[in-house]
Amino acid sequence: MKLLLKNCHIIDRDLDIFSDILIENGKIKSIGTISEPCDKIIDLNKKIVMPGFIDLHTHFRYPGQESKEDLHTGSLSALAGGYTTCNLMGNTKPVVDNNEIYNEILDKSKEIDLINIYQCMATTKDLKSIEMINFEKADTKIKFFSEDGRGITDSLLAYNIFTEIEKIKKGIMIHAEDHNLTEISTRYAEDLETIRDCYLSLKTGCKVHFCHVSTINSLEAIKFYKEKKAPITCEVTPHHLYMKDSDFKVNPSIRTQDDIDCIIDMIKNSIVDAIATDHAPHTKEDKDNGACGMIGLETAFNIVYKVLHENNGISLNKISELMSYNPAKILGENKGAIIPTYDADLVIIDLDKNIKVDKFNSKSSNSPFIGEEFTGSIEMTIVNGEVKFEKGVKNDNR
């Protein structure tokens, strides 16, 4: 199968050019002026083509909470936001703490065949932070383990988990929260555990990725330990970039303008590696009853573009690095750039169109951005060389 994209405005971490893209058998074959026969030709009329976005931190709620989201609707939501790859957290019901559930999720996602799915496995049985899983018996396909939704408050347990994960040369994704401090201050809770886990990463050699970092002191700790060559990376969310002093319930909490200013500075100085959504669907009833979290896949690019590019002059090249290139490298995959031999995961964006946030492909609608208008429309999403989403076109097979 050959697909030719004509008249593209190609933007990735390194490129900002006008050219054609030839895709063959799910891979990018060549870039340039191309006129050879193809199975399908799409003239993009100078619309922007970027590497598909990669979300390192997503909740699709399968298994056990399908009233909120499932692998199918979550994938549709991802495609509508330009995401071609999502890394799912393991705080499902039952918890992903064994190979059987892990492989059930991957097998089902392959049947659905919409986006690339990766799945984290919990670090303790049933996410109770008491008994470690057997890391040596965990499926070798696993990229990261995570106790997501909870911090690992017990320091000895954290040390043992880091040590075991380092032995098998995998990584851990950290939800930094010391639950002994949460009621006193969510800021203290995040900062203290971030500092501890940076130190443990340095001392054990365990690869650590910090999820949804939101405070000045946590970012400063990450910067300090990165300079000491600890094997750490970190992400921030669109909502922590955009919202301030809000009581909309997310975890970690929405912070202040000073925290936002620090995040932007750390992005400019490449301390922040990635932007991840923490897409967390809830039913209206659960959200009304105080559940933490918001959906984010379908609005992420627009919010990032507004805050980083429109308000702070950060280039689309840098945005592509944060949303595609660096996440791909953290996962260890040949994605996230428009380079021959790389996976043909692409998103087409029309920056001459604005969108109004009003409806979602997700089952849930727990978003604080409903009614807001943003620059940029996701027009098409291509996964492994196949058009999986086209705005305004309904595919009955989905």
Side-chain angles (χ1 to χ4, degrees):
M1 171 68 181
K2 282 187 179 181
L3 170 63
L4 179 59
L5 304 179
K6 295 287 292 183
N7 299 313
C8 309
H9 183 182
I10 300 171
I11 297 178
D12 68 5
R13 186 190 72 155
D14 300 312
L15 296 176
D16 188 345
I17 60 172
F18 291 88
S19 190
D20 303 336
I21 302 172
L22 179 62
I23 296 166
E24 186 172 4
N25 298 325
K27 305 286 184 182
I28 297 168
K29 184 176 181 182
S30 60
I31 300 166
T33 302
I34 300 165
S35 57
E36 66 181 84
C38 292
D39 299 288
K40 187 173 184 179
I41 299 173
I42 302 174
D43 190 333
L44 295 177
N45 195 26
K46 299 183 180 179
K47 292 184 180 70
I48 289 172
V49 181
M50 297 176 74
F53 305 137
I54 298 173
D55 193 10
L56 292 171
H57 191 136
T58 324
H59 301 268
F60 280 175
R61 305 303 189 197
Y62 178 87
Q65 301 172 79
E66 288 88 345
S67 61
K68 301 182 179 191
E69 195 77 284
D70 58 44
L71 293 173
H72 182 254
T73 60
S75 296
L76 291 176
S77 184
L79 289 170
Y83 282 89
T84 54
T85 300
C86 287
N87 183 50
L88 308 186
M89 297 297 110
N91 57 340
T92 51
K93 294 181 179 180
V95 169
V96 185
D97 60 5
N98 62 76
N99 291 337
E100 183 179 358
I101 298 172
Y102 172 82
N103 282 299
E104 176 190 330
I105 293 166
L106 293 191
D107 290 345
K108 191 170 183 65
S109 71
K110 288 174 185 174
E111 288 175 16
I112 293 168
D113 189 29
L114 288 174
I115 65 171
N116 306 298
I117 296 268
Y118 296 88
Q119 176 67 57
C120 287
M121 185 176 283
T123 64
T124 67
K125 293 183 178 180
D126 205 29
L127 287 175
K128 290 182 177 178
S129 295
I130 297 172
E131 183 182 357
M132 289 191 300
I133 66 163
N134 188 326
F135 291 101
E136 291 186 351
K137 290 186 177 180
D139 196 293
T140 56
K141 297 188 297 294
I142 292 169
K143 304 281 188 175
F144 282 92
F145 298 87
S146 180
E147 202 80 346
D148 189 72
R150 294 188 57 81
I152 305 169
T153 297
D154 184 282
S155 292
L156 177 59
L157 178 62
Y159 169 79
N160 288 333
I161 287 170
F162 280 37
T163 300
E164 291 301 309
I165 291 174
E166 197 281 328
K167 284 180 184 177
I168 59 172
K169 303 304 178 187
K170 301 293 184 177
I172 183 170
M173 292 189 161
I174 294 292
H175 172 112
E177 180 181 1
D178 185 323
H179 296 281
N180 294 321
L181 293 171
T182 300
E183 292 301 316
I184 299 169
S185 167
T186 62
R187 184 180 293 272
Y188 291 0
E190 180 177 347
D191 291 345
L192 188 62
E193 197 157 297
T194 300
I195 294 165
R196 183 203 68 186
D197 288 349
C198 283
Y199 180 84
L200 287 177
S201 175
L202 179 68
K203 294 302 181 182
T204 64
C206 181
K207 182 171 68 174
V208 172
H209 177 78
F210 288 96
C211 299
H212 43 53
V213 184
S214 69
T215 70
I216 293 170
N217 291 125
S218 288
L219 287 162
E220 288 177 344
I222 289 167
K223 179 177 184 292
F224 177 83
Y225 279 94
K226 276 192 168 194
E227 289 170 351
K228 287 185 172 293
K229 307 303 181 185
I232 57 179
T233 53
C234 72
E235 70 189 39
V236 298
T237 73
H239 50 274
H240 285 110
L241 275 169
Y242 186 61
M243 301 171 72
K244 63 179 180 179
D245 303 320
S246 170
D247 59 3
F248 189 89
K249 292 203 72 172
V250 288
N251 189 11
S253 304
I254 298 300
R255 306 300 187 186
T256 69
Q257 185 64 50
D258 287 343
D259 295 294
I260 294 172
D261 292 342
C262 181
I263 291 172
I264 292 168
D265 183 63
M266 294 291 187
I267 284 172
K268 290 178 178 178
N269 288 287
S270 297
I271 302 303
V272 170
D273 300 280
I275 290 170
T277 70
D278 194 7
H279 177 84
H282 288 295
T283 62
K284 184 178 186 303
E285 180 183 11
D286 283 350
K287 193 63 185 171
D288 289 345
N289 288 332
C292 283
M294 58 167 281
I295 57 173
L297 287 165
E298 297 178 53
T299 54
F301 172 78
N302 302 95
I303 292 166
V304 170
Y305 184 80
K306 180 179 182 66
V307 175
L308 297 189
H309 185 75
E310 293 183 330
N311 295 351
N312 287 281
I314 293 172
S315 70
L316 274 169
N317 301 101
K318 183 66 174 180
I319 290 172
S320 184
E321 180 182 290
L322 292 162
M323 296 185 72
S324 303
Y325 184 86
N326 284 350
K329 296 312 158 195
I330 289 167
L331 289 172
E333 297 292 340
N334 284 336
K335 302 177 184 290
I338 301 177
I339 297 172
T341 74
Y342 270 44
D343 294 341
D345 294 347
L346 304 167
V347 55
I348 288 81
I349 304 167
D350 190 342
L351 288 179
D352 292 327
K353 290 184 180 178
N354 292 341
I355 64 157
K356 184 174 182 178
V357 181
D358 56 3
K359 58 184 178 179
F360 301 97
N361 288 270
S362 170
K363 282 186 180 180
S364 298
S365 58
N366 54 310
S367 168
F369 307 124
I370 293 173
E372 294 198 41
E373 294 188 12
F374 296 97
T375 302
S377 172
I378 305 297
E379 295 292 292
M380 185 182 294
T381 307
I382 296 171
V383 185
N384 297 317
E386 294 185 26
V387 176
K388 297 290 188 176
F389 168 82
E390 188 171 357
K391 195 158 194 174
V393 176
K394 182 176 177 59
N395 186 328
D396 291 335
N397 293 326
R398 297 179 198 164

